[in-house]
Amino acid sequence: IDAKTGYVLQAKEARQKRQIGSLTKVVTASVVLDWSEHKGGDLNQMATIPPEAFTGVTQNAVGFQPGDRVSLRDLLYASLVQSDNAAAYTLAYAVGSQLGAIAPAASNTKVGPVDIFVGQMNALAKQLNMERSRFVNPSGIDDRVRPIPYSTAEDMARMTRYAMNKASFRFYVSQKERQISFERGPKKITQV
């Protein structure tokens, strides 16, 4: 597609539903950046990586461990540059906790912070007319997950165009490498 106009230059099976894996992190980052820009969310805020961040994760690119403390900004880098699934989950947990505090669930059903965040991912998809997409987690892990997440090339082109129109997103994804820091107990650890 043309990034400025949205005009489709070439397409093949553009509306066929497929599992999209880590492309889901484009949506995760967009929700986090929207929260930061429109709700005054602080990307310098520290978050603790919960043990649940490692459920279903077979790969740990950065080497995070449960209990590590890291800024939301560095979690964005880890999620987008290293495709770190624990980072994406922790972003969803931290931001979802704050979104839940703003607008608590209306029903008696207990909804966790990650569920609230995933609801925002699907709301953004709906806002962008992504009619053939369903997100079920912030990382895109799709092994042994029910319901199965999916999207289409057409829908992800819409989402990517939305994300790339944000200067902050363009900056994050333009990084070839990034040094991040996190706290593990009393030690500060730096990773590239």
Side-chain angles (χ1 to χ4, degrees):
I1 65 168
D2 181 278
K4 290 185 179 172
T5 65
Y7 178 76
V8 176
L9 302 170
Q10 184 176 1
K12 182 178 179 182
E13 299 177 355
R15 295 183 49 82
Q16 185 173 352
K17 292 179 185 177
R18 298 187 187 274
Q19 291 171 266
I20 60 166
S22 283
L23 285 174
T24 301
K25 293 178 182 87
V26 173
V27 186
T28 299
S30 295
V31 170
V32 170
L33 293 171
D34 284 350
W35 164 79
S36 174
E37 293 166 11
H38 303 296
K39 304 277 189 218
D42 181 8
L43 295 178
N44 292 317
Q45 168 188 330
M46 298 296 282
T48 301
I49 299 187
E52 300 83 13
F54 300 94
T55 303
V57 173
T58 58
Q59 179 179 8
N60 186 353
V62 175
F64 289 127
Q65 294 178 10
D68 287 348
R69 292 190 32 81
V70 60
S71 72
L72 297 182
R73 183 175 314 286
D74 281 346
L75 287 169
L76 272 169
Y77 282 117
S79 180
L80 291 171
V81 178
Q82 287 288 338
S83 192
D84 191 284
N85 294 327
Y89 184 95
T90 306
L91 281 167
Y93 189 89
V95 173
S97 295
Q98 295 187 31
L99 291 170
I102 294 169
S107 71
N108 292 336
T109 308
K110 182 159 172 73
V111 178
V114 175
D115 298 320
I116 292 168
F117 187 89
V118 170
Q120 290 297 307
M121 293 170 68
N122 285 304
L124 177 58
K126 186 175 182 177
Q127 174 188 326
L128 297 176
N129 295 320
M130 295 172 61
E131 299 169 354
R132 299 175 65 83
S133 295
R134 173 178 60 206
F135 302 101
V136 300
N137 61 48
S139 64
I141 292 175
D142 51 20
D143 293 341
R144 299 180 302 274
V145 174
R146 296 287 181 259
I148 294 175
Y150 58 81
S151 190
T152 67
E154 179 181 75
D155 282 359
M156 286 310 297
R158 281 190 181 107
M159 178 57 71
T160 303
R161 182 171 175 245
Y162 173 82
M164 291 299 286
N165 278 316
K166 295 178 165 302
S168 54
F169 184 86
R170 284 194 312 273
F171 179 78
Y172 281 100
V173 298
S174 71
Q175 307 300 303
K176 290 186 171 97
E177 64 180 29
R178 181 68 183 196
Q179 187 173 11
I180 65 168
S181 298
F182 56 94
E183 300 168 5
R184 179 168 293 153
K187 293 193 292 187
K188 186 168 191 163
I189 298 173
T190 302
Q191 295 277 38
V192 176

